[in-house]
Amino acid sequence: MLRDVEASDADAYVRMRCDPAMMAELGGPLPRDGIEAKVDTDVRRTRADEWWVSMIVPDAAAPEVVAGTVALWSHEEGEEAGLTEIGWMVLPEFQGHGYAKRAVRDMLERARDDGRWGVVHAFPGVTNAASNALCRSVGFTLVGERNTTFAGRDLRTNHWRIDPSTGLR
Ligand SMILES: CC(C)(COP(=O)(O)OP(=O)(O)OC[C@H]1O[C@@H](n2cnc3c(N)ncnc32)[C@H](O)[C@@H]1OP(=O)(O)O)[C@@H](O)C(=O)NCCC(=O)NCCS
């Protein structure tokens, strides 16, 4: 199941965003220093229902144990203002069990039912085999390749898109 991000998820953020293996396809590990600020922003924006930042919870009876995260947001600045993006990460000990795929599908079903987000875009690295497989199997359409900025890094990515009201598999 998915639940909203909380301040106590900072440890999971560190294990995801500051780890070289987890960040191999995302430009390398991020500095430890910025994590609390990022969690605070995600919590505040999610509580305000402006972004949806969710933690993936394998066992509803233990909601503090997280397998990873999935997030949906609309860009607010620049040439891509208004573009809705989805992103995901699953911790190494939970990878390969379908958590990312289920979480992305759950988030897109929620977006479809909410109706405000429109077409949703995803930008996995061109060599990110698992994320590109996930996009294909959930029902995204491949638009092509492009450069994408993530946390200030320029990445070579694929561009996938899906209309959750018609495209979900
Ligand atoms: C990418 C990531 C989220 C996948 O999470 P996961 O829970 O292991 O993925 P799932 O088990 O849901 O599998 C999703 C798809 O990827 C495939 N897959 C999983 N691991 C794979 C691998 N190592 N190589 C190739 N395909 C793989 C699965 O078969 C599945 O495809 P299918 O539906 O066609 O069978 C996870 O590995 C991760 O967080 N990696 C580091 C951070 C990252 O790259 N984030 C994504 C940025 S876009």
Side-chain angles (χ1 to χ4, degrees), residues 22-85:
M22 283 295 290
M23 296 296 289
E25 296 284 348
L26 293 163
L30 292 167
R32 172 70 186 78
D33 279 0
I35 294 297
E36 272 77 14
K38 172 64 176 156
V39 177
D40 285 351
T41 304
D42 287 354
V43 169
R44 186 169 44 80
R45 293 296 211 115
T46 297
R47 284 201 182 136
D49 195 30
E50 295 163 351
W51 301 348
W52 291 351
V53 182
S54 292
M55 306 309 288
I56 304 168
V57 173
D59 179 358
E64 71 285 0
V65 178
V66 299
T69 185
V70 57
L72 186 83
W73 70 99
S74 276
H75 292 239
E76 293 163 357
E77 290 169 3
E79 282 176 14
E80 300 198 330
L83 179 144
T84 298
E85 183 171 346

Side-chain angles (χ1 to χ4, degrees), residues 22 88-90 95-101 124 128-131 133-134 137:
M22 283 295 290
W88 49 79
M89 297 183 97
V90 167
Q95 289 176 7
H97 297 285
Y99 281 111
K101 191 169 157 181
N128 191 334
S131 283
L134 181 158
S137 79

Side-chain angles (χ1 to χ4, degrees), residues 102-130:
R102 260 193 309 277
V104 169
R105 197 179 272 142
D106 286 354
M107 190 62 116
L108 290 171
E109 285 174 355
R110 187 179 164 200
R112 173 197 64 201
D113 295 345
D114 179 89
R116 89 178 89 146
W117 301 98
V119 170
V120 176
H121 301 259
F123 303 103
V126 288
T127 57
N128 191 334

